[in-house]
């Protein structure tokens, strides 16, 4: 009986972890992977650790609406979204956080 309970717990944890991975992948991936209505959520995640949160959110949302993509994590990984990565300011520095 104990092994059945252990197996059920294992299957439940496996399902939950696969669901979390699926959510992460669905909001961070190639261009077109984020719907415009999901940009605020994806950018909130992207800008969660910055000290300049308001500016980060504003620019990230603009980039997301144009590229339909936000890189995973809070920093880096811009190669996941070429459009997001290639947007530059007038000075030539990266535009999107």
């Amino acid at each position: 009986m104990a092994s059945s309970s252990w197996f059920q717990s294992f299957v439940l944890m496996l399902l939950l972890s696969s669901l979390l991975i699926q959510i992460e992948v669905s909001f961070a991936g190639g261009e077109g992977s984020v719907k415009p209505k999901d940009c605020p959520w994806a950018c909130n995640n992207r800008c969660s650790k910055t000290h300049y949160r308001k500016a980060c959110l504003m620019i990230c949302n603009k980039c997301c609406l144009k590229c339909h993509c936000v890189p995973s994590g809070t920093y880096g990984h811009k190669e996941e979204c070429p459009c997001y990565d290639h947007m530059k300011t007038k000075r030539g520095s990266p535009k999107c956080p």
Side-chain angles (χ1 to χ4, degrees):
M1 198 68 170
S3 65
S4 175
S5 156
W6 178 85
F7 181 74
Q8 288 174 344
S9 297
F10 176 74
V11 170
L12 182 61
M13 292 299 288
L14 187 63
L15 287 172
L16 287 174
S17 65
S18 68
L19 179 63
L20 291 173
I21 291 169
Q22 186 68 27
I23 290 170
E24 181 70 25
V25 169
S26 69
F27 285 108
E31 292 170 24
S33 65
V34 178
K35 295 179 180 149
K37 67 177 183 152
D38 295 324
C39 285
W41 185 90
C43 288
N44 192 41
N45 183 44
R46 180 77 176 171
C47 297
S48 64
K49 293 188 178 180
T50 184
H51 293 287
Y52 305 101
R53 187 168 175 79
K54 189 174 180 179
C56 180
L57 287 171
M58 181 183 71
I59 294 176
C60 179
N61 277 294
K62 285 183 181 182
C63 294
C64 180
L65 288 172
K66 182 173 182 177
C67 298
H68 302 284
C69 181
V70 176
S72 62
T74 57
Y75 184 79
H77 306 287
K78 289 187 177 182
E79 67 280 355
E80 295 173 352
C81 304
C83 170
Y84 192 97
D85 187 29
H86 296 305
M87 290 180 73
K88 305 289 182 200
T89 65
K90 291 178 183 177
R91 295 184 201 167
S93 60
K95 182 172 188 163
C96 304

